[in-house]
Amino acid sequence: MVSVSPRLRDSLDWEDPENIDPRLSWGFRSLTLSSAGHSYEDLEYADDERPFSASADPGSARLADGDSFRLAVLKPGTGSATIDIDLIFESSKSPKREYRCLSYCWQATALEYQRRTSGFEALSRVQSLESSVSSIASSTNGTGDVAILVDGYRFTVTTNLLRALRSLRKRNNKVLIWVDQICINQEDHVERGHQVSIMKDIFRQASQVIVYLGELPGSEKLVEYAKKSRRGGVEGVKTALKRILPPRQLKDAIQRMLDLPWFGRVWVISEVCLAPLVRISFGPETHMSWENLLGLVRDIPVPPSQGFAKSLDLLGNTRQRIAIITQMMTQQKDDAAHADISQLLVLAKSSNATDHRDKIYSFYGMTLLTTTPDYTRSVPGLFIEVICEYVNSIEALYANWKDLSDPSRTLQLMSILYSAGSLHQHYELPSWVPDWTSSWHLAPLWACTTANLNAVPTRNDWAATNRSDFRAGGDRRDNLEITAQVTSSPRLRLSAIVLDNIVATSDTTPASTPAPLPGTRGNVPVSPITRSLVANGTIRYGRTFFDTQKGFTGLATPGIKSGDVVVILLGGDVPVVLRPLKGGAKAAKLYRLLCECFVESHAVMYGDVARSEWTRAQDVVLV
């Protein structure tokens, strides 16, 4: 006799944890075939073919596999009445029903999460700052703090999802909607991996994707402004717009919207990019199109900031994310796979993810990389595999794409190194492999943080349009070669000019460039441009000053020390700091990559040194 769980009460007013079947304490928790100490032998088996509770085969649980996925049938209702859902199966390849997908943020608001997470101990160092909120939520059962009914059973969901479902529910008609929290067994790693692998089809076959941003005071006026502003710039329209939201209030409203948690979630990228149509919603009657959102962000100028501003000066800031996502949406509509690794790194490292593997898997189906979603594998192993596959396969990946130039190819490869470094890693990884969970926290030297909302770059060439003005490595193209195919610790060989050794570091701004030390060559001339950058609060913020043996001054990530070396990567845009590994003569060229850096020298930063001294380039091996 197969034991099944007895039906729980449908009333959500009754909640006694001691009497809730522990096998159903959260969501799709497994229906075991063992009574596990409970007396269910007197209950007869009911042949229930619902996707949630059982399958047509009485001896097994029904999983969403093959091309199938679950759809939520949201029953009619109004107000605070209990959300009641039935689950059905549908084909991701050829669905018979029209449905929509929901894109939302599991947590509700930053304020609610600040309250929820207060008093908890700090997470381990393998968790990035952005991921910690979601991780704490998961550890405190944040995936379910309110209850709905799914196939007649009590099912816990987040408060924000409850609000979204209430805003979607109709008074008299059913709504077919795909919701990850409900339609995927989040605790079954095999099913999660499989459903991620068909996510591209699920979203492409949907009639539209509804982006639920959450409740926002004053959203009605913001949506009204966004829709009317698309009508043109005639004087009458401008006057009407000012009556809706005066300029100062408009800027504040836009910033409050961009601060909503949805914009920082990693999964929303693919959910929006794969959608045939996107509708942005703040509630039942307050919604606008993606084009309306784009117009708000593009047409309202951002006031200049004095010094470092996180909302503008970090890679992957919200405006830049919107610009990148918009470009990716265009590519997906053209059925063009995306492969700009610099874009993916910018987005992933600025995103939140409860499971760090989703920093990779959320892009599955949108790129030419073939990593299969597997939620049982180690996170470091996944990061290493993806980067090794990219470095080894870039020629094949771009074989049919004539519009990718050699400089763009080199830039994309270099973006891997500039996104990596031991000083920017939480996991134990080879120093040249980016840690996708380590968020951007310094204004970049190798790339720009502007949004580029006015023009959509050609596909897979975004990096060229957001490239910095520096050309430290000159015009010579370099090849990156993985020399040790060891799964856990591969090594990377590349060509570099060893510029100088660091002899001192300081957190204090130097008064002037130090004079050359006795027996060394004189300083490379300093231009007003580079001098102003050292004094620039945005570039200086969070960085350490260093002096070198030959008299150079520069900026780098805190953690560098005397004995580290500054090198110029051939083809790279900015120098990097390496740490030599101790050992014999054979190990003399082994280094750990630490970080990118700035050297206060026009000749260094704009390629004069690389062009005149490229014959001094030597092979270095990064471990």
Side-chain angles (χ1 to χ4, degrees), residues 296-309:
L296 283 174
V297 178
R298 180 180 56 219
D299 297 343
I300 307 305
V302 180
S305 62
Q306 299 297 323
F308 177 81

Side-chain angles (χ1 to χ4, degrees), residues 213-257:
L213 292 182
E215 299 174 355
L216 180 69
S219 59
E220 296 85 358
K221 288 188 176 181
L222 187 62
V223 168
E224 183 183 0
Y225 185 100
K227 292 180 177 179
K228 290 186 177 179
S229 65
R230 297 299 92 201
R231 297 178 182 176
V234 296
E235 198 62 33
V237 173
K238 291 181 179 180
T239 303
L241 292 176
K242 289 181 180 180
R243 286 199 296 266
I244 299 172
L245 277 175
R248 181 60 182 272
Q249 293 182 23
L250 175 62
K251 292 179 181 179
D252 292 343
I254 292 175
Q255 191 56 53
R256 286 197 302 271
M257 176 186 68

